[in-house]
Amino acid sequence: MSYLLGFICVLALGVIGCSETVGTGGLGGEGGSGGSGGAGGGKERAQLTIYLVDWDPTAPGAGIVGPLPGVKVCEFNTTNCEVTDDTGFAFLQMPTEQEVMVTVEKDGYGSLLGSEVVSADGSAFTSFAPKTDVRLGEQYERVMSPYPMAEGTGAIALTINGLVEVNEPGATFELIGNGGKAYYRDANKDWSLDLTATSTDGVGGFVEVTPGEYQIRVGGTAENCVVWRGWLSDLPNTVRVPVREGLTSVLRMNCD
């Protein structure tokens, strides 16, 4: 038990990052996670460990208030799914050494899309902190965008560093290939259209994004960035991200 508590503490402080992960209302919302295309048999597979936490903007520090059970996690567009247990963990067998996507769905919370690469030895780990529909409705209203999302759109949320206390403000996010609508989260964890770069909260994103694959270039005060969640890009300080209808693609980069 002490190991588990220590493990969760490490996750809460240094791994999750607590980006403002937005999505559709309810389980899947508009667009959901796509059809059921099987589990992709015939490919080498290994375990992806997935950890879900509940998040409260009024809680101190990173805002994590405990594990989140009962969350359905799936390999995108397949029936390869599991549900998180009472400790917030689920384990999926996923194709290895290739870019894959994972959907995260729970009633009353926004639906998310993670982009991962699972190593052949099964050492991959990822975590999510979905936000409630009530919270998301308030934030979408702040940026004058509909929630649930407008038909034919998705969203992106990006966290820099992941520790609220140590983030240097002034990082900028440029979505290459699509305008969308950019926002940054202020020091009170509320979305803002007035900010032109990150606050000490280190979070921003894009709404009303057409589905496809994009790249986000990080600039301003953020340098020497390393992708922690997302797909690698050939460009420096840049992350590749898939966007699907009705889902929020969640990313994290660790930067100097």
Side-chain angles (χ1 to χ4, degrees):
M1 178 62 69
S2 62
Y3 168 78
L4 178 59
L5 291 176
F7 182 47
I8 291 174
C9 181
V10 170
L11 294 174
L13 292 178
V15 176
I16 295 167
C18 290
S19 63
E20 187 66 62
T21 46
V22 295
T24 67
L27 187 59
E30 296 180 12
S33 61
S36 57
K43 301 175 182 177
E44 293 297 323
R45 289 181 171 260
Q47 181 173 285
L48 172 64
T49 299
I50 305 169
Y51 182 55
L52 268 291
V53 298
D54 211 354
W55 184 85
D56 183 346
T58 65
I64 297 168
V65 293
L68 189 61
V71 182
K72 184 179 180 181
V73 294
C74 298
E75 179 184 353
F76 178 76
N77 205 30
T78 77
T79 57
N80 180 27
C81 302
E82 297 291 342
V83 176
T84 56
D85 60 21
D86 288 343
T87 66
F89 282 95
F91 308 91
L92 280 180
Q93 295 297 313
M94 298 287 290
T96 62
E97 307 300 340
Q98 59 184 287
E99 295 168 343
V100 295
M101 295 182 287
V102 176
T103 55
V104 176
E105 300 175 323
K106 181 178 174 65
D107 281 326
Y109 289 77
S111 300
L112 311 178
L113 182 68
S115 43
E116 317 287 345
V117 175
V118 180
S119 63
D121 62 7
S123 61
F125 171 88
T126 192
S127 56
F128 299 92
K131 308 304 179 288
T132 66
D133 288 331
V134 172
R135 166 73 179 177
L136 294 174
E138 295 170 350
Q139 299 309 303
Y140 267 76
E141 185 176 358
R142 290 179 64 89
V143 298
M144 296 179 288
S145 187
Y147 183 82
M149 297 179 194
E151 184 177 355
T153 68
I156 302 171
L158 172 59
T159 298
I160 295 294
N161 288 332
L163 277 176
V164 173
E165 292 84 358
V166 301
N167 285 330
E168 180 181 1
T172 58
F173 303 157
E174 178 190 359
L175 184 60
I176 301 173
N178 184 291
K181 180 185 286 188
Y183 69 87
Y184 294 95
R185 206 167 72 178
D186 63 26
N188 295 319
K189 299 184 174 68
D190 286 323
W191 298 6
S192 173
L193 294 177
D194 296 328
L195 296 176
T196 57
T198 59
S199 67
T200 54
D201 192 54
V203 176
F206 303 86
V207 295
E208 302 177 19
V209 182
T210 303
E213 183 179 308
Y214 300 94
Q215 299 195 73
I216 297 179
R217 181 183 295 118
V218 178
T221 56
E223 299 178 341
N224 303 318
C225 296
V226 176
V227 176
W228 189 85
R229 172 185 284 127
W231 293 339
L232 297 178
S233 169
D234 293 332
L235 302 175
N237 293 344
T238 302
V239 58
R240 291 170 43 238
V241 54
V243 175
R244 298 294 183 265
E245 182 178 358
L247 302 173
T248 291
S249 301
V250 288
L251 306 169
R252 177 182 164 185
M253 298 181 75
N254 295 339
C255 305
D256 293 342

